[in-house]
Amino acid sequence: MARSQRLRGRWAVPAVSGLLIGGSAAIATVSGAGIASNALMLAAAVAAGSPIAVHAVRALGARVIGIDLLVTVASVGAVVIGQYWEAAAVTFLFAVGHALEQATLSRTRSALAELVAVAPDVAVVLRAGGQIEVAAADVAMGETVVVKNGAKVPVDGEVVAGAGAVDQASITGESIPVEKAVGDQVFAGTVSRGGVLQVKATGVGADTTLARIIHRVEEAQDAKARTQRFMDRFSRWYTPGIIVLAVVAGAVTGDIVLALTLLVIGCPGAMVISIPVSIVAGIGRAAKDGILIKGGEHLERAAKITAVTIDKTGTLTRGRPLLTDVVVLDPAADRVAVLRWAALAEAGSEHPLARPVLDAARAEGLPSGQFPEAAESIPGMGITATSDGHRVLVGNVALLSHFGVADVRGSDRVAHDLAAAGHTPMIVAVDGAGVGVLAVADEVRPDAAHMVAELHRAGVRTVVMLTGDALPVALAVGSATGVDEVRAGLLPQDKHDAVRELQRQGHVVAMVGDGVNDAPALAVADLGVAMGAAGSAVALETADIALMADDLRRLPQAIRLARRTVATMRQNIAVALATVALLLLGVLLGGVTMSVGMLVHEVSVLVVILNAMRLLRRLPSTAPGAPATGGRLRPPPDDGGGSGRCRGADPGAVVVPMVAAARALSA
């Protein structure tokens, strides 16, 4: 109902004006042009021209000379000299163009309307031992809400009971429902597609992720790009210039019709709408795909990106180390025995590498409740533990040397080989003898290599991995993902300097990181990108681009969309300028009338709008398995054959342009 009322209001003025013009034409056809037909034509000009004149006067009050003033002066002048048809045609076509512009902007803002539409209205809350239906805005922080199959999740929160699938497309753009269980996070506005969930509210009302997204998209679509600001400045000079041109032409030729025609022909309608309609459409399309862009300026900058720097841990990798190898050195032991001794010692450790060992032991069915009688962490080396009279050591070669354990079974060589392959080795010794070596590695994201390949296809020339990890570990990840260059052993300031160096080389740099140790690099980069930002209010507020889903493939998608948007903006500007130039030439040379000129103008506006609306169409992505193009991998220099990062090692900063990293690792 409200929408139909808006449509009637938007098209009411051009509809009334059009009917009056039609009536005038009918009378003129039957009885010839006369007082009646001219009166209807004048009424049509007044009906369509009055709102235009009101806007012109308001703009003059703000010291702005705009298009409305040109049309108003031209139509009033046409009436004065008796050109009623010209006055009616100009104002009618301008009113149609304005209504079409408003309708198109509403269409391109559909992403925002869809986000608002998915906001839940009601919630089922557990209160006083029962289920009570309340308004979603009335749910209090910490309350438990029940989400049944087909219902919208009314709050941001954590699942505390139940299991089911949730459609998160409205937040992250994911097309497939995500399975949720106890401990998982859910977002307001998503929809349950199976099962019953009990969710503890951690964000309600305006504090939900959905509310923050709506606020961000509103701001972004209203923010002006650099090109748009330039066009605004250009229009402030262009419009008075057209008025001066019309006055001079009329004074020199004595032809008032020519002067009025120049005023109409000079209206830069398509030029004014060419940029904002493209930006709104581009940002709206991105929002539908789970990509939040802060504004038009950042959209333009994303289109110029030539280098991308990416943090390794938690970005190219999952940030969760996994146990990858168990090498048995003691002939009297087996894999389970080595893992059991290591898990016993690590049960008393708080080191991050203890978790993957304990998880692997639990997966093997080993007892998880056993703890050593005593345990002591040795900084930079590992841990020593005592249990049932046995002393267990888990750590690097330095730990064994510290306790005088002789390397009679080749544990040093095995640890070196594992480190060279990009794993973090941990030697396990029991009662003064090495029994085995464990290796832990951070899991590379399955979509990382595809993302790098897609960045190259999108026109990014250089993809650089920045990490504080040691060179062998970094090389292994670099080889698996296909990045162009690896910079290892970096401190936060080193990452900052790496971005600066790329900028000095002429690159426009985007930095993808977690915003903690990457903060200096994110601050200095031309574009800061936050990934998996659906649950992070800070990322939504600070990042130039926020990828809502934890999906690396959204980054090249965002860059491609930005380049499509900027290309569309340039095409629209070219159409607008060419239209004005050709029409002005046609008026000065003769042959182009006021009404014909305005008709051509409105056609150019329609062309610009339709061109921008192409951005709302989602382009298909390429296959994940396609090979990368554009990578410039080169063999690393001889770094002295470092043994990589055992626990507690200090890698030191190393810069490696990569090519055939697998060959480098085996060298």
Side-chain angles (χ1 to χ4, degrees), residues 75-301:
S75 56
V76 169
V79 169
V80 170
I81 63 175
Q83 299 287 337
Y84 302 117
W85 154 247
E86 300 288 356
V90 167
T91 53
F92 168 72
L93 289 171
F94 190 83
V96 169
H98 180 71
L100 184 61
E101 176 183 334
Q102 294 303 311
T104 305
L105 285 174
S106 297
R107 172 73 180 87
T108 56
R109 291 182 184 269
S110 59
L112 183 59
E114 290 176 11
L115 285 172
V116 173
V118 302
D121 297 320
V122 297
V124 177
V125 186
L126 294 180
R127 291 180 183 173
Q131 298 182 16
I132 301 175
E133 187 174 290
V134 300
D138 292 337
V139 178
M141 292 284 285
E143 281 195 302
T144 299
V145 300
V146 179
V147 182
K148 301 177 182 179
N149 184 24
K152 291 180 181 178
V153 180
V155 296
D156 282 4
E158 179 182 335
V159 178
V160 293
V166 175
D167 182 353
Q168 299 187 155
S170 59
I171 301 295
T172 65
E174 294 168 288
S175 58
I176 300 175
V178 180
E179 294 294 329
K180 299 291 184 179
V182 175
D184 290 335
Q185 189 176 23
V186 295
F187 307 107
T190 57
V191 181
S192 172
R193 296 302 183 195
V196 178
L197 302 174
Q198 292 186 27
V199 178
K200 180 181 179 181
T202 59
V204 297
D207 194 37
T208 64
T209 299
L210 176 63
R212 289 192 291 267
I213 292 174
I214 293 172
H215 177 66
R216 165 62 79 85
V217 175
E218 285 177 333
E219 287 186 335
Q221 290 187 335
D222 291 334
K224 292 186 176 182
R226 185 176 303 174
T227 303
Q228 186 177 355
R229 292 196 297 269
F230 168 78
M231 294 302 296
D232 289 344
R233 292 194 299 269
F234 175 77
S235 297
R236 283 199 293 268
W237 290 97
Y238 173 84
T239 303
I242 290 295
I243 294 176
V244 171
L245 174 63
V247 171
V248 171
V252 171
T253 63
D255 188 348
I256 187 63
V257 175
L258 173 65
L260 294 175
T261 303
L262 283 174
L263 285 177
V264 172
I265 297 304
C267 292
M271 191 184 309
V272 170
I273 196 176
S274 61
I275 306 302
V277 72
S278 301
I279 290 175
V280 170
I283 290 176
R285 175 69 264 172
K288 287 183 178 181
D289 294 337
I291 302 167
L292 292 190
I293 302 175
K294 202 168 188 177
E297 184 172 353
H298 302 289
L299 186 68
E300 279 190 303
R301 194 175 298 130

Side-chain angles (χ1 to χ4, degrees), residues 393-407 411 427-429 434:
L393 306 177
V394 181
N396 55 24
V397 175
L399 180 69
L400 270 64
S401 299
H402 179 74
F403 285 93
V405 177
D407 182 21
S411 58
I427 302 172
V428 181

